[in-house]
Amino acid sequence: MNMKMDLTEYIKSVNLLMAQMGGEGVELSAEDQAMLDALKTDGFDLALRGDMAEGTLYMNMKGDIIAAAGMNGEDWYKLDMATLMDQMGMDWAELMAASKNLDYTALAKSAIGSLSLNDSTTAYTQVKETVEKIVNAVSDEGFVKEGNEYTAIVAMEEDDAVVMMVLVMTMEKDAVTGYVMGVSMEATEDEMTVSMDMTVSVDDKDQMTAEMHMDAAGLMTMEMTMDGSYTQGKTAPATEPPAGANVVDLMELMSEEMNAEEKAALGIIGGADGPTSTYVAGS
């Protein structure tokens, strides 16, 4: 996997804004620049284990850049995708079921679960339109046949956001021998447009390729390419870190960081407002 990010325009914009406000611009230290150069030339090794049925993923990162950042290359980082999706109003098990067999019933159920139905006069219409879009796109009638290829397109637009998904399946008799799936998104808020395009394909030899391009209002761009292959193994894959490994829960870590920032903010307010506020912040 290769990934390239360009923050040049973002840094220019920040420097311009800081100059207009009479402050100093952003300038990387020699140490920070050396770390970025090492990341660009050497990269780092990533190992990923997990149980997709449960939605629990574990990541381990090694390399000089990891050590320079003060991270232990022997640590494993846990990410509970099922809990994360649940907090977003989505069901991980239903998403996995839908991804395995393209079950439009599961897709529709998952999509309905993520809707924000705040207005009783429009709720029925929202649900009806969502279900119709999915069923019409991924049912047999939703695919357009050309030769041995079948194409389905789902386009959704809400407020200032547009999402389009395209699925092209290559068929041999009744079997899918390859597919290409593309997703494009564009959203505008406060006159700033963020766009993303992603394509994933698998051919009849089980070779996989993927590309992703992202542009955040021209301030940041990211390009990622990935390729791989699928082969049948002789042993079951490891789904958890090695026995005795130190596991860091990413969600707990992020929660602790947020709590620390909130406490720091309360401390600043307390210092400005006097003893009473300081006591409240401390308690």
Side-chain angles (χ1 to χ4, degrees):
M1 180 173 67
N2 294 302
M3 183 171 70
K4 177 182 177 182
M5 295 183 68
D6 189 346
L7 295 170
T8 306
E9 294 303 318
Y10 173 74
I11 294 175
K12 286 181 180 178
S13 299
V14 172
N15 285 339
L16 178 60
L17 179 61
M18 294 296 289
Q20 292 173 345
M21 298 174 63
E24 296 182 0
V26 177
E27 185 174 350
L28 293 175
S29 66
E31 182 180 4
D32 290 339
Q33 188 61 56
M35 289 183 64
L36 287 175
D37 291 341
L39 182 60
K40 180 179 179 180
T41 57
D42 302 331
F44 60 89
D45 295 326
L46 172 68
L48 180 66
R49 298 182 180 184
D51 187 329
M52 297 304 289
E54 295 183 358
T56 307
L57 303 180
Y58 299 91
M59 293 167 284
N60 170 259
M61 294 171 284
K62 285 185 172 68
D64 293 339
I65 185 66
I66 300 299
M71 299 171 64
N72 188 342
E74 299 303 318
D75 287 346
W76 285 78
Y77 295 87
K78 175 184 175 182
L79 181 59
D80 190 338
M81 291 296 296
T83 300
L84 190 63
M85 288 293 180
D86 183 64
Q87 293 175 353
M88 298 168 62
M90 303 174 72
D91 189 294
W92 174 264
E94 290 178 358
L95 287 173
M96 288 298 99
S99 68
K100 287 180 180 180
N101 56 19
L102 206 61
D103 181 353
Y104 64 83
T105 304
L107 280 171
K109 186 176 180 181
S110 177
I112 293 171
S114 64
L115 290 176
S116 298
L117 304 177
N118 301 317
D119 188 340
S120 60
T121 60
T122 60
Y124 174 78
T125 302
Q126 284 181 267
V127 173
K128 181 174 180 290
E129 290 179 350
T130 299
V131 172
E132 286 178 345
K133 284 181 180 179
I134 295 173
V135 173
N136 290 339
V138 297
S139 64
D140 290 345
E141 292 76 15
F143 283 85
V144 176
K145 182 178 184 300
E146 185 174 347
N148 62 342
E149 292 186 346
Y150 292 78
T151 303
I153 300 175
V154 179
M156 294 178 285
E157 184 173 354
E158 184 173 349
D159 298 329
D160 294 322
V162 179
V163 179
M164 178 172 288
M165 293 175 283
V166 179
L167 174 64
V168 181
M169 297 189 302
T170 303
M171 305 286 293
E172 293 276 340
K173 296 182 179 178
D174 291 331
V176 177
T177 58
Y179 70 85
V180 179
M181 183 171 64
V183 178
S184 64
M185 179 204 76
E186 185 173 292
T188 303
E189 185 173 355
D190 296 332
E191 298 183 356
M192 297 184 66
T193 300
V194 176
S195 62
M196 186 272 291
D197 295 286
M198 181 177 69
T199 304
V200 180
S201 65
V202 177
D203 63 18
D204 57 354
K205 296 181 177 59
D206 289 332
Q207 300 296 307
M208 181 272 291
T209 59
E211 290 187 16
M212 184 174 74
H213 303 270
M214 180 178 175
D215 188 315
L219 299 177
M220 183 197 78
T221 60
M222 182 178 74
E223 298 177 5
M224 185 182 74
T225 59
M226 182 168 62
D227 61 77
S229 61
Y230 296 89
T231 58
Q232 183 174 353
K234 296 181 179 179
T235 58
T239 59
E240 296 182 353
N246 183 48
V247 178
V248 180
D249 191 308
L250 281 177
M251 294 183 67
E252 290 182 2
L253 184 63
M254 288 187 289
S255 178
E256 290 174 1
E257 297 256 348
M258 291 176 64
N259 289 336
E261 291 177 2
E262 289 177 1
K263 289 180 179 179
L266 287 173
I268 293 173
I269 294 172
D273 292 349
T276 304
S277 295
T278 303
Y279 172 77
V280 172
S283 64

